Amino acid sequence: MRCVAVNTLTLAAITLVYLAAIVVLGWLGYRQTKEHEDYLVAGRRIHPVILALSYGATFISTSAIVGFGGVAAQLGMGLIWLTVLNIGVGILLAFVIFGKKTREIGQRLKAVTFPDLLGKRYESQFMQYAAGLVIVVGMPLYTAAILIGGARFIETTLVIPYDSALLGFAAVVALYVVLGGLIAVMYTDAMQGGIMLIGMTVLLVLTYVHLGGVVEAHNALAGLSSMVPEALAAAGHTGWTSMPVLGSPIWLTLVTTIVLGVGIGVLAQPQLVVRFMTVKDSKAIHRAVLIGGPFILMMTGVAFTVGALTNVYFVQNNGMIALEAAGGNVDAIIPAYINASMPDIFIIVFMLALLAAAMSTLSSLIHTMGTALGHDIWRGIMNAKPSLRASQAGCALMVGVSVGLAYLMPVSIIARATAMFMGLCASAFLPAYAAALYARTPSKNAAIASLVAGASMWFLWTAFVHVKESSVLGLSQAIFGTPALLSSFWQAVDPLIIALPLATLVLLGGMAVERTMPETAEKSQDTVEGEALR
Amino acid sequence: MFGILDPQIWFAYLLALGFTLACVLYGLLNWNAGGDEMRGG
């Protein structure tokens, strides 16, 4: 966002106050971090309000607001189905069905990371290594995407060179993550979540005020359906207040990649799962649900609604739809709208909200990668005792890797990183994670087979079929001479839609086979008796 | 409904608001449930 209309001194002063608050909260985290359990799971004593805001702020990155808000400006209000899943699956299901059990089992087994939880529940070091490896290999790409987005944003708003923005952004976040661990991350997340809430609330209210009211704005948007570009109409776009044609390419992208891919993918995100282990009891989880639902509604619900409505503003003021007004760049729509329509003071508030969204997600990713490397992999291989220093070193190293990737990776791959990482996590982890929480006798072999099958199928579909990624990765072109295999219908289907059911079937099949084996049946009986005695 | 004619869209808005309300009610109804658990699973 370019804040040319905003007084630079005011902007710099507010940014400094924001950074000072971050430093204070980071210092508080540092002071309260005495041992590895403090660093990894915030000492299991986080307040429910902090949990809810931290979970929400980590969940919602800048790309969820600017990127997906821009997609809503392009494709319309159908994106609100993602908000339905964000709240129904990402909060209600995640906290009530997954979160409470995760906390209970995590506390009982003294698990301190997501891979540690899987490893201890399945009594499998391999499971811990494999989950840690997926995080250490897959997450830096997503982290680099967040870093680049944040740096570009700082570059344009504060008018400083890109390299300085990138390195400064990474250094500030690294400082409080490396020193203060998850306590510092969650304290800063909570403050950032509060800023995001203020920013999005003002954005919604001012948008409806600008457009003459709720019903008037929606009526105006519905009246623009004749202005849908021909290429989009041919792909199934029917207008901004209606769903695309069933089964059309836009419908498939909207439903499989955006709504289901991102909506379900959130359930097995290691950086979110670990937050359930930061509270001491289920009461804290219950209370966090009360805040988490409305928070997410005000994030994605507002971003997608306002995103679609930007078309009305640009048509009324510029005579063209939002995509045209932003020069065809979906990511530029929301910033262009804010700059064109909002008062100066709000531009600063929104700038801070976006910076907060980027920092909260980035800090959580660095912490998750660093602890996977330092605690789950390095400590396991060295057979060492849990160590605060190992996790800190892991975090510092992963910051370096992510910054390096941000310079090396092509922008085209970075742009796909968020959806790719969510899909990979759900495909690899979700069935095994669910079974770890709810199976009476979780099967180690079935879980490993499910993780390997899910991750492998996700990779094959991503590299060879789902054209949005395969055309960028270039493997299919190099081996088969075509950007993607199979028909155009399948090329639009997200890898998650194929890999997750496969991983689930492999898990269920493996568990069924194991149940028929005499020694497993005996162990199962022992477990049932053991649980009855507890 | 509210200027949106396609039921697939306004139903999504209703569901989003419904789930939000469910979150609030769940939190309120279980406000003091599950406190001070020492172990679980």
Side-chain angles (χ1 to χ4, degrees):
Chain A
M1 194 189 310
R2 183 171 290 278
C3 297
V4 286
V6 178
N7 183 304
T8 313
L9 267 180
T10 313
L11 185 60
I14 291 176
T15 307
L16 280 177
V17 170
Y18 168 75
L19 286 176
I22 294 284
V23 169
V24 169
L25 292 170
W27 179 79
L28 274 178
Y30 171 70
R31 281 289 302 272
Q32 292 176 23
T33 300
K34 308 285 183 205
E35 54 185 72
H36 83 284
E37 204 169 82
D38 297 328
Y39 194 85
L40 297 170
V41 285
R44 302 190 201 277
R45 55 173 185 271
I46 282 291
H47 190 277
V49 175
I50 307 269
L51 168 66
L53 290 176
S54 170
Y55 185 98
T58 301
F59 189 163
I60 305 300
S61 64
T62 315
S63 80
I65 297 169
V66 173
F68 282 66
V71 173
Q74 184 187 27
L75 302 183
M77 287 178 161
L79 255 87
I80 213 70
W81 280 104
L82 177 55
T83 302
V84 173
L85 264 73
N86 286 156
I87 303 167
V89 175
I91 297 292
L92 211 48
L93 194 68
F95 276 69
V96 177
I97 306 296
F98 285 80
K100 283 165 68 175
K101 272 283 181 188
T102 301
R103 187 208 63 77
E104 289 169 12
I105 294 172
Q107 196 173 68
R108 176 155 56 83
L109 299 178
K110 299 193 187 317
V112 288
T113 64
F114 179 63
D116 193 28
L117 179 78
L118 292 182
K120 283 179 172 158
R121 185 62 174 143
Y122 286 109
E123 295 175 356
S124 163
Q125 190 85 54
F126 176 82
M127 198 69 184
Q128 187 174 3
Y129 288 152
L133 200 64
V134 169
I135 291 169
V136 168
V137 172
M139 203 179 261
L141 198 63
Y142 178 28
T143 312
I146 303 286
L147 255 177
I148 291 174
R152 289 276 176 223
F153 170 70
I154 294 165
E155 177 194 20
T156 49
T157 45
L158 298 182
V159 198
I160 56 175
Y162 173 74
D163 288 347
S164 309
L166 182 76
L167 295 175
F169 182 39
V172 169
V173 176
L175 186 71
Y176 70 80
V177 178
V178 171
L179 295 177
L182 197 55
I183 299 178
V185 170
M186 293 183 77
Y187 281 0
T188 50
D189 280 356
M191 184 194 76
Q192 289 154 347
I195 295 171
M196 290 159 69
L197 196 56
I198 294 169
M200 297 307 283
T201 305
V202 177
L203 179 65
L204 181 72
V205 172
L206 287 186
T207 296
Y208 279 126
V209 168
H210 265 304
L211 302 181
V214 175
V215 177
E216 290 75 7
H218 295 170
N219 278 334
L221 186 62
L224 300 181
S225 55
S226 61
M227 295 184 77
V228 173
E230 274 180 31
L232 288 177
H237 200 313
T238 58
W240 287 277
T241 57
S242 54
M243 283 293 280
V245 175
L246 183 71
S248 65
I250 289 183
W251 186 90
L252 282 171
T253 300
L254 180 68
V255 173
T256 71
T257 297
I258 297 175
V259 175
L260 294 177
V262 178
I264 295 173
V266 73
L267 274 179
Q269 295 272 300
Q271 73 277 18
L272 296 179
V273 172
V274 75
R275 276 160 173 69
F276 298 132
M277 298 194 278
T278 63
V279 290
K280 68 170 182 171
D281 52 30
S282 295
K283 187 168 78 176
I285 303 251
H286 298 150
R287 293 180 176 188
V289 171
L290 188 149
I291 299 160
F295 180 85
I296 297 298
L297 179 73
M298 289 309 295
M299 295 296 121
T300 64
V302 170
F304 304 159
T305 303
V306 170
L309 289 171
T310 57
N311 287 290
V312 178
Y313 177 85
F314 284 117
V315 168
Q316 287 177 354
N317 291 279
N318 302 44
M320 58 179 83
I321 62 169
L323 192 61
E324 288 173 315
N329 181 0
V330 171
D331 288 337
I333 294 173
I334 296 290
Y337 169 69
I338 302 287
N339 276 336
S341 68
M342 296 290 156
D344 285 1
I345 186 65
F346 180 71
I347 294 176
I348 296 176
V349 171
F350 198 72
M351 187 276 293
L352 274 188
L354 291 186
L355 189 61
M359 284 181 97
S360 54
T361 305
L362 182 66
S363 60
S364 304
L365 295 180
I366 291 171
H367 182 267
T368 305
M369 291 187 300
T371 53
L373 181 65
H375 182 81
D376 297 308
I377 297 177
W378 184 85
R379 186 199 55 83
I381 291 171
M382 303 302 287
N383 205 18
K385 282 184 179 172
S387 147
L388 197 154
R389 294 281 173 264
S391 296
Q392 287 179 314
C395 288
L397 189 65
M398 293 314 294
V399 173
V401 170
S402 303
V403 169
L405 261 184
Y407 277 110
L408 295 175
M409 294 303 288
V411 173
S412 49
I413 292 181
I414 292 290
R416 306 290 311 160
T418 304
M420 283 170 74
F421 182 72
M422 290 214 170
L424 171 62
C425 278
S427 306
F429 298 141
L430 188 51
Y433 172 44
L437 300 184
Y438 282 98
R440 187 173 286 270
T441 52
S443 161
K444 175 174 79 176
N445 294 328
I448 291 172
S450 168
L451 189 150
V452 172
S456 304
M457 177 51 85
W458 174 87
F459 174 76
L460 290 173
W461 202 268
T462 298
F464 296 103
V465 181
H466 196 228
V467 69
K468 283 189 175 168
E469 277 109 28
S470 67
S471 60
V472 175
L473 291 171
L475 276 176
S476 180
Q477 185 69 44
I479 297 172
F480 300 108
T482 174
L485 305 175
L486 304 185
S487 66
S488 59
F489 174 84
W490 291 110
Q491 288 174 8
V493 173
D494 194 82
L496 176 85
I497 305 301
I498 306 298
L500 181 56
L502 177 75
T504 308
L505 283 176
V506 168
L507 181 88
L508 295 176
M511 287 169 70
V513 169
E514 209 158 88
R515 264 200 295 272
T516 61
M517 297 162 89
E519 56 194 58
T520 316
E522 201 173 289
K523 187 182 166 197
S524 169
Q525 188 57 34
D526 288 348
T527 311
V528 172
E529 285 168 4
E531 289 195 353
L533 286 171
R534 256 195 257 143
Chain B
M1 185 180 283
F2 290 106
I4 299 169
L5 298 177
D6 186 349
Q8 293 182 80
I9 302 292
W10 61 251
F11 184 62
Y13 273 101
L14 275 186
L15 263 184
L17 291 170
F19 278 140
T20 305
L21 188 63
C23 287
V24 172
L25 289 177
Y26 181 86
L28 289 175
L29 293 174
N30 293 285
W31 188 254
N32 283 318
D36 292 316
E37 294 161 346
M38 294 307 291
R39 67 171 183 84

